[in-house]
């Protein structure tokens, strides 16, 4: 057998900028704007799905989108400054849709006849549930409880979890792209061509950096967006089904005409939150799932930012701040809880830029364009199949980052092959099984207690959560003592504590000398 030329490597070697190195300012601003554009996809999808069910109008949807982006900007700044300090955007999450759908369908709310009044009362109920549920995440994070749980993680146990953080979102890829194949497929082919085949091309001497590698999302969206505007203006969708028109047309978002020119979101703007024990219990399940998914996303972001895996203390700190993010979601009324944006984590790898500064400036763009609503609404009119095409690439990239952790394990071990294969398969298969019933009868678990249904359906429809349950339990119960090296623990154990690796101080130390008051453990 020939010499091995690609031994296991703690950090990726072909990235241009790490977490604490910064591109030139013009490049930084464009990269930050590219991250902002990518965030818009999720920020529009969630209100578009939920606000009409709540009885809200296009104007209500526009204000919810603005509020969601505004709070996402604040939460991203807080997380990058005081949380994990990783270049990760914290925005709206699809994880919360199931408990929110349960609240929307509450009989006490559905019996309200006036749509706008029902929207306001439903929003207040969602706010109350988010506020109560956020305390769970705050306690789990700041008590260091999640740090203690993370000591049971190994490279073998976390590889399927991180992998399914990306691969488990396949429904937001080609199935959504297929709603408008003539727009989505060219977008997919274009972003692949720009980022992989043209990545070394330099167009102008004034721009020494590889434009196509750095800005494939911006270029792709610009070209395909113009193409979709032409199709819309030419009447290509005049007699097509309603789903096709909603997916393909650039004039059906209903945001540009209804968004206010200026709106400064503020706490309790929809009124005082209302509280219900059932609503709160249902929302807590989404918080627990969000913790698992964010843990995988943080570890992927660390690898793509050329940082060490976040120590247990830093991971708990990030989860605690994310709990405060959910609290802000409840106070402002974003119609969703917060988690790490997986697509933006993937963008770190696609552009090979893991700079923290880029993400912080992107957060500033979110805040600015959410206040001046008309400007943000223009970008929010981008057809969703374009974002779905980008998701195919970015989610797949995050999934492959998770699988890269297997290099630190012995994959010639039948034990490891069994655990990896079973956790990946069940992590995809079980949520798909539950999803089929969700579309048919509001969930496989369908008792008279709606909050109970929401809890189980939320947990079992999350691929990373199922992968964590299967992989971590098996990894810590099957031949544990005989398999320490096979699990990758000799490499992993030094990253459990802040002082276990001297690089941690460079990546994760708090700013403004705050470590004096919050000493790492």
């Amino acid at each position: 057998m020939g010499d091995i030329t690609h031994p296991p490597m703690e950090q990726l070697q072909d990235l241009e900028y790490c977490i604490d190195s910064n591109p030139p300012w013009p490049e930084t601003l464009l990269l930050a704007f590219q991250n902002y554009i990518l965030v818009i996809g999720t920020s529009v999808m969630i209100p578009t799905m939920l606000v009409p069910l709540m009885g809200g109008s296009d104007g209500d949807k526009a204000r919810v989108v603005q509020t969601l982006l505004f709070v996402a900007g604040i939460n991203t700044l807080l997380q990058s400054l005081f949380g994990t300090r990783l270049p990760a955007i914290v925005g709206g999450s699809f994880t919360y849709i199931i408990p929110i759908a349960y609240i929307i369908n509450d009989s006490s709310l559905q019996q309200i006849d006036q749509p706008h009044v029902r929207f306001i009362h439903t929003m207040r109920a969602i706010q109350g549930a988010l506020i109560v549920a956020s305390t769970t995440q705050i306690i789990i994070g700041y008590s260091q409880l999640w740090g203690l749980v993370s000591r049971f993680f190994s490279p073998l146990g976390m590889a399927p979890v991180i992998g399914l953080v990306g691969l488990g979102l396949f429904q937001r890829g080609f199935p959504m792209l297929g709603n408008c194949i003539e727009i989505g497929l060219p977008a997919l082919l274009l972003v692949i061509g720009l980022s992989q085949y043209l990545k070394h091309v330099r167009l102008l001497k004034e721009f020494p950096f590889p434009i196509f590698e750095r800005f494939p999302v911006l270029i792709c969206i610009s070209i395909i967006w113009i193409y979709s505007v032409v199709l819309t203006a030419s009447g290509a969708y005049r007699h097509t089904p309603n789903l096709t028109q909603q997916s393909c047309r650039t004039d059906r978002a209903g945001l540009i005409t209804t968004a206010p020119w200026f709106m400064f979101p503020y706490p309790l703007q929809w009124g005082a939150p209302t509280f219900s024990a059932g609503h709160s219990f249902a929302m807590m399940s989404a918080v627990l799932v969000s913790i698992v998914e964010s843990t995988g996303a943080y570890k992927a972001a660390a690898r793509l930012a050329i940082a060490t895996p976040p120590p247990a203390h830093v991971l708990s700190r990030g989860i605690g701040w994310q709990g405060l993010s959910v609290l802000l979601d409840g106070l402002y009324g974003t119609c969703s809880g917060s988690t790490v944006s997986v697509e933006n984590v993937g963008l770190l790898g696609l552009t090979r830029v893991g700079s923290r500064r880029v993400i912080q400036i992107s957060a500033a763009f979110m805040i600015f364009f959410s206040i001046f609503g008309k400007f943000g609404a223009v970008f929010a009119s981008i057809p969703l199949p374009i974002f779905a095409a980008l998701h195919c690439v970015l989610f797949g990239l995050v999934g492959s980052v998770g699988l890269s952790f297997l290099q630190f394990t012995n994959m010639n071990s039948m034990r490891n092959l069994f655990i990896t294969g079973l956790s990946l398969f069940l992590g995809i298969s079980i949520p798909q099984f539950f999803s089929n019933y969700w579309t048919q009868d509001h969930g496989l678990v369908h008792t008279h207690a709606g909050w109970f249904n929401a809890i189980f359906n939320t947990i079992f429809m999350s691929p990373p959560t199922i992968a964590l349950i299967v992989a971590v339990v098996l990894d810590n119960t099957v031949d544990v003592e005989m398999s320490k090296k096979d699990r990758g623990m000799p490499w992993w154990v030094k990253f459990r504590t802040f002082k276990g690796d001297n690089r941690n101080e460079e990546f994760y130390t708090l700013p403004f000398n705050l470590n004096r008051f919050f000493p790492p453990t």
Side-chain angles (χ1 to χ4, degrees):
M1 185 168 58
D3 294 336
I4 297 176
T5 59
H6 45 278
M9 304 186 74
E10 289 186 355
Q11 296 172 306
L12 299 175
Q13 300 299 302
D14 55 350
L15 301 176
E16 296 293 333
Y17 296 96
C18 68
I19 186 172
D20 52 4
S21 63
N22 304 305
W25 273 107
E27 189 176 351
T28 296
L29 291 173
L30 284 174
L31 287 165
F33 186 73
Q34 183 170 239
N35 273 278
Y36 159 73
I37 290 293
L38 195 58
V39 172
I40 286 179
T42 301
S43 300
V44 172
M45 286 181 199
I46 294 175
T48 298
M49 184 183 303
L50 296 177
V51 170
L53 299 177
M54 298 163 62
S57 63
D58 284 343
D60 295 322
K61 181 174 71 173
R63 287 187 286 275
V64 172
V65 170
Q66 288 179 251
T67 303
L68 183 56
L69 279 171
F70 181 82
V71 177
I74 294 175
N75 290 336
T76 300
L77 283 175
L78 292 174
Q79 188 65 237
S80 63
L81 284 171
F82 309 114
T84 60
R85 307 218 67 215
L86 289 166
I89 285 179
V90 179
S93 171
F94 280 82
T95 299
Y96 290 82
I97 284 181
I98 296 174
I100 289 175
Y102 155 64
I103 295 174
I104 292 174
N105 291 318
D106 191 304
S107 58
S108 62
L109 296 170
Q110 285 295 316
Q111 66 185 9
I112 301 175
D113 295 329
Q114 295 178 307
H116 183 70
V117 175
R118 186 170 80 251
F119 167 76
I120 294 295
H121 280 77
T122 305
M123 178 64 80
R124 292 176 181 176
I126 294 171
Q127 288 181 258
L130 285 170
I131 290 171
V132 174
S134 69
T135 59
T136 303
Q137 191 162 359
I138 292 171
I139 293 171
I140 290 175
Y142 289 124
S143 69
Q144 294 297 310
L145 178 60
W146 192 243
L148 294 175
V149 172
S150 70
R151 294 179 183 273
F152 293 97
F153 300 162
S154 71
L156 180 69
M158 289 309 294
V161 177
I162 303 170
L164 290 185
V165 165
L167 302 180
L169 295 170
F170 65 90
Q171 294 287 0
R172 287 168 56 190
F174 210 89
M176 189 174 293
L177 179 156
N179 290 333
C180 190
I181 197 74
E182 64 270 27
I183 289 177
L185 188 58
L188 176 60
L189 297 176
L190 183 59
V191 73
I192 293 173
L194 292 172
S195 63
Q196 302 305 312
Y197 293 98
L198 300 178
K199 60 184 177 182
H200 299 301
V201 174
R202 267 91 169 156
L203 293 180
L204 300 172
K205 293 182 180 179
E206 291 81 5
F207 299 98
F209 50 84
I211 294 177
F212 295 129
E213 182 182 61
R214 288 288 188 273
F215 311 111
V217 169
L218 274 182
I219 298 172
C220 172
I221 287 179
S222 299
I223 293 174
I224 304 300
W225 190 14
I226 293 173
Y227 168 57
S228 61
V229 169
V230 172
L231 288 178
T232 300
S234 65
Y237 304 111
R238 192 167 297 155
H239 304 294
T240 56
N242 186 57
L243 176 61
T244 301
Q245 297 204 30
Q246 291 291 341
S247 301
C248 301
R249 295 181 68 103
T250 57
D251 58 356
R252 285 302 178 91
L255 296 175
I256 297 177
T257 56
T258 56
W261 280 102
F262 179 86
M263 186 193 87
F264 194 87
Y266 56 91
L268 308 183
Q269 60 186 337
W270 310 105
T274 57
F275 300 93
S276 164
H279 296 170
S280 300
F281 280 122
M283 198 67 75
M284 285 178 188
S285 64
V287 164
L288 295 175
V289 168
S290 173
I291 291 174
V292 175
E293 295 177 351
S294 295
T295 298
Y298 284 135
K299 291 184 181 294
R303 188 153 178 77
L304 291 172
I306 322 181
T308 55
H313 169 79
V314 172
L315 197 58
S316 276
R317 190 174 72 197
I319 294 301
W321 275 102
Q322 198 170 304
L324 290 175
S325 297
V326 177
L327 177 61
L328 289 179
D329 290 323
L331 291 173
Y332 279 84
T334 62
C335 199
S336 174
S338 289
T339 191
V340 179
S341 172
V342 179
E343 52 266 43
N344 288 89
V345 172
L347 190 59
L348 302 178
L350 190 68
T351 60
R352 306 192 184 198
V353 176
S355 169
R356 184 189 295 123
R357 177 185 290 175
V358 168
I359 298 302
Q360 291 172 337
I361 295 176
S362 178
F365 278 124
M366 291 182 232
I367 295 172
F368 175 82
F369 284 110
S370 63
I371 294 174
F372 297 95
K374 289 290 186 186
F375 297 101
V378 171
F379 300 116
S381 68
I382 300 170
L384 296 181
I386 298 178
F387 290 107
L390 300 174
H391 292 167
C392 290
V393 174
L394 300 174
F395 291 160
L397 186 53
V398 173
S400 64
V401 169
L403 298 181
S404 73
F405 280 87
L406 292 174
Q407 67 183 301
F408 306 110
T409 69
N410 176 15
M411 290 311 291
N412 292 314
S413 162
M414 285 305 302
R415 170 194 182 272
N416 291 0
L417 290 173
F418 177 86
I419 293 173
T420 303
L422 185 64
S423 56
L424 284 172
F425 186 84
L426 292 181
I428 295 174
S429 186
I430 292 177
Q432 182 62 38
F433 177 63
F434 273 74
S435 295
N436 291 338
Y437 281 90
W438 172 257
T439 56
Q440 295 170 12
D441 196 24
H442 303 294
L444 179 64
V445 181
H446 194 57
T447 67
H448 292 294
W451 60 270
F452 182 84
N453 304 336
I455 290 174
F456 276 85
N457 289 319
T458 300
I459 292 173
F460 286 101
M461 285 174 64
S462 167
T465 304
I466 299 301
L468 182 135
I469 293 171
V470 176
V472 173
V473 169
L474 290 176
D475 189 38
N476 286 276
T477 55
V478 177
D479 297 334
V480 181
E481 290 301 320
M482 296 184 295
S483 305
K484 283 186 178 179
K485 291 184 178 180
D486 289 346
R487 301 166 63 204
M489 292 307 291
W491 171 76
W492 187 267
V493 70
K494 64 182 177 181
F495 300 117
R496 285 181 173 177
T497 62
F498 192 86
K499 297 180 181 179
D501 191 293
N502 55 18
R503 293 169 293 180
N504 289 337
E505 185 173 354
E506 173 188 357
F507 301 134
Y508 300 115
T509 298
L510 292 171
F512 315 122
N513 206 21
L514 289 175
N515 273 46
R516 292 182 304 167
F517 307 102
F518 305 99
T521 56

